[in-house]
Amino acid sequence: MSEVISRLAEATSAWLNTILRETGHLSQGNVVSAEQRVSDAFNSSTAHLRLVYSEDATDTPPQDLVLKLQKNHDGKNEVQFYRLVAQLGANLPMLAPCFALDYDAQSGNSYLLFEDLSPTHVAPVTRQQLLEGQGVPRADQLDGIADALAGFHAYWWEHHDLGKYEATAIRPWWHDKESYQQHIERRTREWDSFKQSAASEVSPQIRATYEYVLRRMPALWEEYLEERITNRRQLTLTQGDCYLSNLLCPREVAGEAEEPKGQTYILDLEAVSANFPTYDLAYLMPTFWSPEQRKVHRPEELFLIRYLQRLRKFGVENYNWAMLWRDYQMMVVFMLFDPIWDQTAGASRAYWYPKLHCLVRNFWDMGCGLTLRKLAEKK
């Protein structure tokens, strides 16, 4: 078996030759050279590879690849997910073709070798554009993203393997009542830490919003989470870190009212878990869009309408607009604490500050506060 390397410098022609032979992608000939172009991914070591083969190479071995390396067991979940997809023979065209993968439990190293889609695809927005408040993609890109996520969610919708494997485990936040209580305690500690170090950065109104939510979170296990989690009802697999920069859309621009010019791809599935479908949607829009951006030209509303239509097209029948909107509101409630965690974990102010302000404003603008109060005060 080939070595599970930890550094891009170890991705030599000889190593790639072994990998491609083991996986059946190179039956004859050899990799002569592998030119690397390192990407700016911040949570992995990733490089675009251009491979050159000897003249006796047969078939059509892949020439343009992306190699993703991770350490400290960070890539375990993603490798297990792609193994499960291969085992099931799942038809998931929104996933980039994966040529090889491995994870070493002893060292914690992992690698994934994908087809390089960058010649034809690009992220709809960059991370920097998100931070600068310029994170609304083109209409055709949003259509493609809605189609990709709906297709992914529909395949795993109430799937019999949800909760069965590590890669399909219920999100740890609400795996059961005890884990949810631990989640509330963790969020309370993070909020207390935030107040000590960054209280002057936020207004009294923002501080009051967080106190409002924390007081009502305990009631949500019985009134919102328990029945859905216990019975796996209207749950699916979610990407789990579904920022717009973790998607690839066709470079070719579709005209007005035209369908997207090709498949949109979902990347970076190391946080995949069984979850509420709108967990991914909350990352996409209200996390870095202002209320004004959500409403001008109605990109959010049109996205949600198309997403629901595509779910139904792909066979999901037990989900309607009211359920979608409430789940969307509730995921924004839980997402409120993401920038608090970011700040306490050492993220830069340039990252957590705009994220916090977008989420708090959208929390009230979307009616999340009222929905939360109604659920928490049902008794």
Side-chain angles (χ1 to χ4, degrees):
M1 290 292 291
S2 56
E3 178 187 2
V4 181
I5 61 176
S6 61
R7 297 180 300 115
L8 291 173
E10 297 174 288
T12 62
S13 298
W15 183 81
L16 288 162
N17 201 61
T18 301
I19 293 295
L20 293 172
R21 284 197 187 287
E22 288 178 350
T23 55
H25 296 291
L26 183 62
S27 57
Q28 184 175 318
N30 295 285
V31 178
V32 175
S33 66
E35 178 185 343
Q36 291 192 13
R37 176 169 55 86
V38 178
S39 81
D40 59 356
F42 70 95
N43 60 350
S44 64
S45 296
T46 302
H48 298 261
L49 308 179
R50 168 58 66 90
L51 274 55
V52 176
Y53 295 91
S54 59
E55 292 183 0
D56 60 335
T58 57
D59 305 320
T60 53
Q63 288 188 313
D64 295 297
L65 301 170
V66 171
L67 176 63
K68 178 179 180 180
L69 306 180
Q70 289 185 286
K71 302 178 182 179
N72 304 317
H73 307 280
D74 290 343
K76 175 184 178 181
N77 205 42
E78 187 169 20
V79 168
Q80 291 183 337
F81 168 74
Y82 276 98
R83 280 179 172 159
L84 178 61
V85 168
Q87 175 187 325
L88 294 175
N91 180 23
L92 294 169
M94 72 294 298
L95 301 182
C98 183
F99 291 102
L101 52 81
D102 204 358
Y103 160 73
D104 179 52
Q106 184 172 356
S107 67
N109 297 334
S110 64
Y111 72 82
L112 291 131
L113 194 62
F114 295 106
E115 179 181 343
D116 186 357
L117 300 167
S118 62
T120 56
H121 288 71
V122 65
V125 298
T126 65
R127 189 170 185 268
Q128 190 58 39
Q129 286 175 314
L130 282 176
L131 299 183
E132 293 173 353
Q134 301 173 18
V136 181
R138 301 190 315 261
D140 63 310
Q141 291 175 324
L142 286 171
D143 285 348
I145 294 167
D147 295 352
L149 285 175
F152 184 77
H153 291 166
Y155 178 87
W156 297 104
W157 197 268
E158 298 180 352
H159 197 281
H160 57 81
D161 283 334
L162 293 185
K164 185 176 179 180
Y165 303 103
E166 285 189 65
T168 63
I170 299 293
R171 180 137 190 101
W173 293 1
W174 36 63
H175 179 266
D176 53 28
K177 185 175 183 178
E178 182 181 0
S179 63
Y180 180 60
Q181 181 57 42
Q182 291 171 351
H183 177 68
I184 296 173
E185 292 169 359
R186 171 197 159 199
R187 290 311 200 194
T188 302
R189 289 193 303 270
E190 291 167 353
W191 174 240
D192 289 341
S193 176
F194 179 91
K195 287 190 293 183
Q196 291 177 9
S197 61
S200 61
E201 297 273 10
V202 296
S203 67
Q205 292 80 8
I206 289 177
R207 293 197 293 273
T209 296
Y210 280 92
E211 301 292 347
Y212 176 96
V213 174
L214 282 169
R215 286 196 304 272
R216 290 164 173 80
M217 282 181 72
L220 295 181
W221 175 254
E222 291 185 5
E223 300 302 331
Y224 177 67
L225 296 166
E226 183 177 22
E227 195 274 335
R228 297 275 294 278
I229 296 299
T230 302
N231 297 313
R232 310 290 193 262
R233 193 167 63 83
Q234 287 100 35
L235 297 187
T236 185
L237 278 192
T238 58
Q239 190 268 2
D241 192 37
C242 200
Y243 294 110
L244 288 160
S245 51
N246 283 336
L247 297 147
L248 286 180
C249 298
R251 289 183 180 273
E252 186 177 357
V253 179
E256 187 174 352
E258 287 187 343
E259 289 297 297
K261 298 290 188 178
Q263 178 68 55
T264 293
Y265 293 93
I266 303 170
L267 309 179
D268 294 334
L269 287 115
E270 56 258 35
V272 66
S273 68
N275 205 345
F276 294 82
T278 53
Y279 187 82
D280 281 342
L281 310 190
Y283 268 97
L284 281 178
M285 296 174 284
T287 302
F288 278 106
W289 291 5
S290 68
E292 294 77 17
Q293 288 174 312
R294 290 176 34 245
K295 294 174 181 177
V296 174
H297 306 304
R298 301 164 53 223
E300 178 187 66
E301 180 185 358
L302 294 173
F303 180 97
L304 294 174
I305 290 171
R306 186 177 178 107
Y307 170 81
L308 186 58
Q309 289 174 340
R310 292 304 187 267
L311 279 183
R312 290 171 176 164
K313 176 183 176 181
F314 296 135
V316 174
E317 298 178 350
N318 62 342
Y319 206 55
N320 58 34
W321 177 263
M323 298 165 76
L324 170 67
W325 183 253
R326 189 179 78 156
D327 280 350
Y328 190 46
Q329 289 177 311
M330 294 309 298
M331 292 305 105
V332 171
V333 170
F334 291 111
M335 194 65 68
L336 269 179
F337 291 89
D338 215 50
I340 303 303
W341 176 82
D342 291 331
Q343 191 276 338
T344 60
S348 69
R349 184 182 185 278
Y351 180 74
W352 66 260
Y353 188 83
K355 186 176 178 181
L356 182 149
H357 278 263
C358 284
L359 281 165
V360 171
R361 291 186 66 203
N362 287 321
F363 171 83
W364 293 111
D365 185 75
M366 293 168 57
C368 304
L370 179 59
T371 297
L372 172 62
R373 190 181 75 186
K374 287 180 177 178
L375 282 169
E377 298 175 3
K378 258 187 176 181
K379 294 182 178 180

